[in-house]
Amino acid sequence: MKNIAKSYSAYQKGLIFLCWAIYTVSYFGRLSFSSNITNIMASYNVTHAEAGLVTTFFFFAYGAGQFVNGILCKHYNKTFLFPVALTVSSAINVAVFAGLPFDLIKYFWFVNGCSQSVLWSSVILILGDNLDRKHADLSVAILGTTTSIGTFLSYFSGFAFTRAGNYKIVFPVAAAVMLLIAVLWLAFYPRLIKNINALKPAAEDLTAENGKADPADQKQDKSPSDAAKLAGRTAVVTVAVFALFSVVCNFLKDGLQTWVPAILKETYKLEDSLSILLTLVLPGISAFCGVITLWASKIIKSFPLLASVMFGISAVCALAIRLTLGVSFVVALVFFGIISLLAHCINAVSTNLLPLRVRGSLNPGTVSGLLNGNCYVGSTISAYGLGLIADNSGWDAVFSVFLIAAAAASLTGLVFFFIENSKKRS
C-alpha cells in the first residue's frame, strides 16, 4: 500500500510540473512584445500609447477569453487543446519576426490573447479534479512561480538579443520553446491522468484508514447543512470581492512589468538593454509569491484581510516612488519590486489558492477563469491607459494613480472583513 501512495503522489507531482511547464512557456509567447517595448517604440517610431495598444489588445482578448473559458473549460479535451493554443501563439510570434507591419501587430496579438486564454482555467480545473489537498497546496506554491519565471525568461531573452544586436530573435525562440512543451504535453499528459485515476480509489482508501481524510476532497452531501450553506454563501461573496481585487492587482502588476523599462530609460537615462535587464528584478523577486502566499495565508486566515494588508503596503510604496522618482533608480527598483511581489501574491490568491479552497462549493475552473478574466481587465487598462497618462502627464501621474488604486482596494478589503466578522459574531 505504501508503494501505491508513493506512486499516486509521484503522478500528482508530475501533473503539477507539466501544468507548470505549459503555463510558464506561454509567457514567452505573450511577453515577447512587451519585453522589447522600448526597442519596438524606437524601431517603429511609435508613442507609449501606440505601443501599449498592442498589449492592450492582447489583454482584452485574454481577459474576455477567461470569462468564456472559465465556464466552458469542463467540456474541453485538454490533451489537444493546449498544444493547439501554443501552436497558434508560436505562429503569431514567427509572423512578427518575419516583418509584420506595426499596424497589424495589435490584431495578431489579439488572436494571440484568444489562443492563450484557454490555458489557465483549464489548468486549475485539471489540478482541482486530480489533486488531493496536500498536493493542491503544493501546486499553489509551484504555479505561483509560473508568471515570474516565464516573465524572467522572456525579459532576459529580450536583454540578451538586444545586446546581440537583433531583439527580434526573441520571437522565433519563443515559438520554438512553446512547440517543444506542446509536444511534451501530448506525450505525457494522458499517461499521468490515466495513472492518477487508476490509483486514486486505493490511495483514498489508504488515507481514510490512516484517519487523514481530507474534507476538501469529499463531495458535499446533496442536502447540505446550515454550515455548508453558509460556507457556500461566504465563498460566493468572497469570490465577488476578489473580482475587484483582481482588477487592481493586475493593474499594478502588469502596469509595472510593461512600463518599468520605459521608466528606467526615460527617467534615469539608462540604455535599452540595461533597462530590460534591471526589469528582471520584478519577476526575480516575485518568483517567491507562491511560497509567501501560503505562509501569509496561515497567519492571516481571511483572504480579504490578507489582500487588504498587501494593498496597503503597495500604496505606501507607490507614495514612496512618487516622492523619490528621479532620485535613484536603485531606490525605485526596491519599491517596484515590493509592489510587484505583493501584486503577484494577491494574484496567486485570486486565481489559484481561492479557487482550490472553495472547490467544495464552486467549480474551481470557473472561479479561476472568472477571477483571471477580471485580472486582465486591470491588465488591459494598464497597458494603454498608463501609456496615455505617461504621454500626457508624465510618470509622476502614473504613480499617483497607483497610490489611489492600491489604497482604495485596501480600504475595501478592511470594510468587507469587518462586515463579515460582525455577521459571524451575530
Side-chain angles (χ1 to χ4, degrees):
M1 294 297 284
K2 287 184 178 179
N3 289 334
I4 291 176
K6 287 182 179 179
S7 297
Y8 185 55
S9 176
Y11 288 128
Q12 289 184 88
K13 290 176 181 176
L15 182 62
I16 292 171
F17 172 76
L18 195 58
C19 288
W20 173 89
I22 203 157
Y23 199 71
T24 297
V25 300
S26 73
Y27 270 81
F28 256 120
R30 72 178 66 174
L31 294 180
S32 47
F33 181 91
S34 57
S35 64
N36 287 284
I37 199 163
T38 56
N39 289 314
I40 288 167
M41 288 170 60
S43 63
Y44 287 99
N45 192 27
V46 295
T47 65
H48 295 100
E50 289 171 322
L53 189 60
V54 175
T55 307
T56 290
F57 267 57
F58 175 91
F59 286 149
F60 178 80
Y62 189 93
Q66 290 302 303
F67 294 113
V68 175
N69 293 307
I71 297 170
L72 300 179
C73 61
K74 61 184 178 181
H75 302 295
Y76 295 154
N77 184 324
K78 315 302 191 299
T79 300
F80 299 105
L81 179 70
F82 289 4
V84 169
L86 292 187
T87 299
V88 171
S89 185
S90 297
I92 290 169
N93 273 267
V94 171
V96 175
F97 172 73
L100 194 68
F102 183 81
D103 289 343
L104 295 180
I105 292 178
K106 58 180 175 288
Y107 302 114
F108 275 68
W109 231 240
F110 180 90
V111 176
N112 194 13
C114 292
S115 68
Q116 291 211 10
S117 69
V118 304
L119 299 175
W120 184 253
S121 57
S122 291
V123 163
I124 294 300
L125 182 59
I126 288 169
L127 297 177
D129 285 347
N130 294 283
L131 301 183
D132 56 30
R133 176 62 176 269
K134 174 185 175 182
H135 290 87
D137 282 352
L138 176 64
S139 74
V140 173
I142 293 177
L143 265 70
T145 67
T146 55
T147 299
S148 303
I149 293 176
T151 302
F152 184 93
L153 292 175
S154 185
Y155 274 75
F156 184 80
S157 298
F159 157 74
F161 294 129
T162 297
R163 295 287 290 179
N166 187 358
Y167 74 89
K168 283 192 174 183
I169 296 176
V170 72
F171 294 105
V173 168
V177 172
M178 286 189 289
L179 290 175
L180 173 62
I181 299 301
V183 172
L184 292 177
W185 180 270
L186 279 171
F188 291 104
Y189 172 72
R191 299 181 194 178
L192 288 169
I193 295 299
K194 179 180 178 180
N195 289 325
I196 288 172
N197 288 333
L199 293 173
K200 188 174 184 178
E204 288 180 343
D205 289 344
L206 180 61
T207 302
E209 288 174 9
N210 292 334
K212 298 179 180 178
D214 180 6
D217 294 328
Q218 298 173 354
K219 292 184 178 179
Q220 288 184 326
D221 186 84
K222 292 184 179 180
S223 300
S225 65
D226 289 340
K229 291 179 181 177
L230 178 61
R233 285 196 297 270
T234 301
V236 171
V237 175
T238 302
V239 168
V241 172
F242 267 88
L244 171 63
F245 289 168
S246 297
V247 175
V248 180
C249 83
N250 263 44
F251 177 77
L252 301 176
K253 177 176 74 70
D254 287 329
L256 283 176
Q257 195 63 60
T258 299
W259 293 115
V260 161
I263 294 170
L264 293 176
K265 177 182 178 180
E266 296 165 16
T267 304
Y268 300 98
K269 311 304 179 185
L270 303 181
E271 296 179 356
D272 283 325
S273 60
L274 183 57
S275 297
I276 297 171
L277 180 64
L278 290 175
T279 303
L280 293 176
V281 169
L282 305 187
I285 293 174
S286 301
F288 300 99
C289 73
V291 174
I292 292 173
T293 299
L294 282 176
W295 168 77
S297 68
K298 293 176 181 177
I299 297 174
I300 304 176
K301 299 187 183 299
S302 166
F303 288 164
L305 180 60
L306 177 60
S308 177
V309 171
M310 291 180 173
F311 276 127
I313 298 172
S314 298
V316 173
C317 291
L319 176 61
I321 295 170
R322 179 69 178 78
L323 296 175
T324 62
L325 194 64
V327 174
S328 168
F329 71 84
V330 176
V331 173
L333 277 174
V334 170
F335 292 121
F336 291 160
I338 295 172
I339 295 175
S340 179
L341 172 61
L342 295 175
H344 275 83
C345 288
I346 298 166
N347 182 274
V349 175
S350 294
T351 62
N352 197 341
L353 185 58
L354 178 59
L356 289 175
R357 289 288 173 85
V358 301
R359 60 181 169 168
S361 305
L362 303 169
N363 181 311
T366 299
V367 171
S368 183
L370 293 175
L371 291 179
N372 208 22
N374 277 64
C375 284
Y376 280 88
V377 172
S379 302
T380 301
I381 297 170
S382 71
Y384 178 75
L386 294 179
L388 189 62
I389 292 172
D391 283 335
N392 293 317
S393 304
W395 295 113
D396 285 348
V398 166
F399 288 103
S400 294
V401 173
F402 270 35
L403 169 60
I404 294 169
S410 179
L411 180 60
T412 300
L414 282 175
V415 170
F416 175 78
F417 172 73
F418 285 121
I419 291 174
E420 283 300 298
N421 265 16
S422 299
K423 289 182 178 179
K424 289 177 182 178
R425 284 196 296 268
S426 299

